[in-house]
Amino acid sequence: MEKINVGVLGFAHGHVDSYCSQWIQNPDMGINVAAGWDHDSERAKTRCSAYNAKHYESADELLAQDDIQAVVIASETSMHADLTVKAAAANKAIVLQKPMALTLEQGERIVNAVKEANVPFTMAWQMRVDPHNIQARELMKSGAFGRVYMVRRRHCLPTQQMGDFEKTWHVNPSLNRDIFADDASHAIDFIYWMLGMPVSVFAELGSLLNPAIPNDNGIAVFRFADGAFGEISCTFTSVAGENVTEIICEKGSIIGNYGDITSCNIDRPAGGVQLKWYLNSENKWIVSDMPEIKQHGERIMGLSRPLAEFLHGKRPPIATVEEGLSVLKMTLACYESYDEGKRVYF
């Protein structure tokens, strides 16, 4: 397999290190981490040295290299739009880290640039390639469970256990808005992936632990055209958890556990299972026979192979640029709903 040379534009988002390390450790994926840039030159030099990649002092210089076919954009969110526009103009395939952008205007710039240049593009959503999530979605859409009434996704982080988290770019409004926009976007994309675009949302957000970390807790309820509900429940002040997914249907339920850092990276109670379902016709719980995931980092690393397959043209995007914009609209609508104290319609 001929290797694809990938350049990294920004090492701010730690997930990119998981992809790079897996590509290096698994040469069969056919990805060469060839180059890197970051506005923080020292950070770029450190990461490029770790991956034996060439360091470039400017993003423009990296993008000018004809032998680099693709880029992973993992900079601070505020830089996503400018870097995507440049990468698309340079005819590079693009992997974009979440969240897509800070504003709708930035998101639309990304969509327009990708469509105008007609370059391969995917969002990097690990929930969409998680094997247990895929099985839950296939079960829900199989028809065996009948009408879907409600899909609930809990997604949590123990940020209070992360030293000096309030000093990181993740909670800097000029770089990333806040932790809800950053990480609740996973759960919002999960709801979108399961049910499509909603017709409305009502949300409550707030800071309950550390005022320096805005919106460390939030709940949003989406309503869909067929009447179904989609709920996200996100707390970034959690030390322990278990249930992450509940899909309530006409003829049964699907339950997922241990699917985020808070629940996966602590000792599990005896008999705890990651995915099970109940069908009225079977009158019993059925436990998934797929291997369980013991550390959340496995899920992030698990995105590296699907990304490689996408870059090699062996699979479609994990999430298209249009889907990325839809999820951004859903995320921003949560803020509008909370700020104005009302249901927001799409």
Side-chain angles (χ1 to χ4, degrees), residues 249-282:
C249 303
E250 176 187 8
K251 300 178 181 179
S253 298
I254 304 164
I255 304 297
N257 301 313
Y258 313 110
D260 57 9
I261 290 180
T262 298
S263 61
C264 194
N265 289 13
I266 61 175
D267 290 339
R268 193 169 304 175
V273 297
Q274 288 194 319
L275 183 66
K276 60 184 179 180
W277 55 92
Y278 185 97
L279 275 168
N280 296 344
S281 59
E282 298 284 342

Side-chain angles (χ1 to χ4, degrees), residues 6 62 75 127 186 214 235 291:
V6 170
L62 185 154
S75 66
M127 280 193 185
H186 278 299
T235 173

Side-chain angles (χ1 to χ4, degrees), residues 6-16 19 23 37-38 59 62-63 70-88 92-100 110 114 120-124 169 307:
V6 170
V8 178
L9 296 179
F11 291 91
H13 205 294
H15 287 195
V16 71
Y19 316 149
W23 289 334
W37 165 87
D38 196 299
L62 185 154
L63 290 168
V71 294
V72 178
I73 299 174
S75 66
E76 292 86 345
T77 309
S78 59
M79 302 177 188
H80 284 186
D82 287 344
L83 291 173
T84 302
V85 169
K86 289 182 176 183
K92 309 299 185 186
I94 299 167
V95 174
L96 181 61
Q97 189 51 252
K98 61 81 190 173
M100 185 184 219
I110 290 172
V114 169
F121 175 98
T122 187
M123 295 293 298
W169 68 271
L307 288 177

Side-chain angles (χ1 to χ4, degrees), residues 71-267:
V71 294
V72 178
I73 299 174
S75 66
E76 292 86 345
T77 309
S78 59
M79 302 177 188
H80 284 186
D82 287 344
L83 291 173
T84 302
V85 169
K86 289 182 176 183
N91 199 36
K92 309 299 185 186
I94 299 167
V95 174
L96 181 61
Q97 189 51 252
K98 61 81 190 173
M100 185 184 219
L102 290 182
T103 67
L104 191 57
E105 182 273 334
Q106 290 177 2
E108 289 172 343
R109 283 183 62 210
I110 290 172
V111 172
N112 292 337
V114 169
K115 293 177 72 173
E116 182 177 343
N118 194 29
V119 293
F121 175 98
T122 187
M123 295 293 298
W125 294 113
Q126 75 258 13
M127 280 193 185
R128 291 197 184 206
V129 299
D130 184 294
H132 296 92
N133 291 344
I134 290 173
Q135 186 174 26
R137 185 173 185 264
E138 289 174 346
L139 287 166
M140 184 191 78
K141 291 184 175 293
S142 69
F145 288 80
R147 182 182 174 187
V148 179
Y149 295 138
M150 180 181 292
V151 176
R152 174 182 173 271
R153 181 73 191 196
R154 185 193 75 111
H155 186 63
C156 303
L157 287 175
T159 55
Q160 74 272 42
Q161 295 181 349
M162 302 176 183
D164 294 330
F165 187 76
E166 69 274 9
K167 299 177 182 178
T168 67
W169 68 271
H170 290 278
V171 296
N172 184 330
S174 66
L175 299 177
N176 196 51
R177 188 177 287 265
D178 59 31
I179 188 59
F180 182 85
D182 186 336
D183 235 69
S185 59
H186 278 299
I188 293 171
D189 180 71
F190 182 87
I191 295 295
Y192 177 82
W193 183 50
M194 287 284 182
L195 298 174
M197 192 68 187
V199 296
S200 67
V201 63
F202 186 83
E204 289 283 358
L205 309 175
S207 254
L208 301 181
L209 176 68
N210 183 353
I213 302 177
N215 295 323
D216 59 14
N217 283 263
I219 297 173
V221 177
F222 297 94
R223 197 71 189 266
F224 292 82
D226 64 354
F229 292 94
E231 177 194 337
I232 65 158
S233 178
C234 296
T235 173
F236 307 109
T237 59
S238 172
V239 295
E242 183 173 30
N243 178 249
V244 292
T245 301
E246 291 179 318
I247 304 174
I248 310 302
C249 303
E250 176 187 8
K251 300 178 181 179
S253 298
I254 304 164
I255 304 297
N257 301 313
Y258 313 110
D260 57 9
I261 290 180
T262 298
S263 61
C264 194
N265 289 13
I266 61 175
D267 290 339

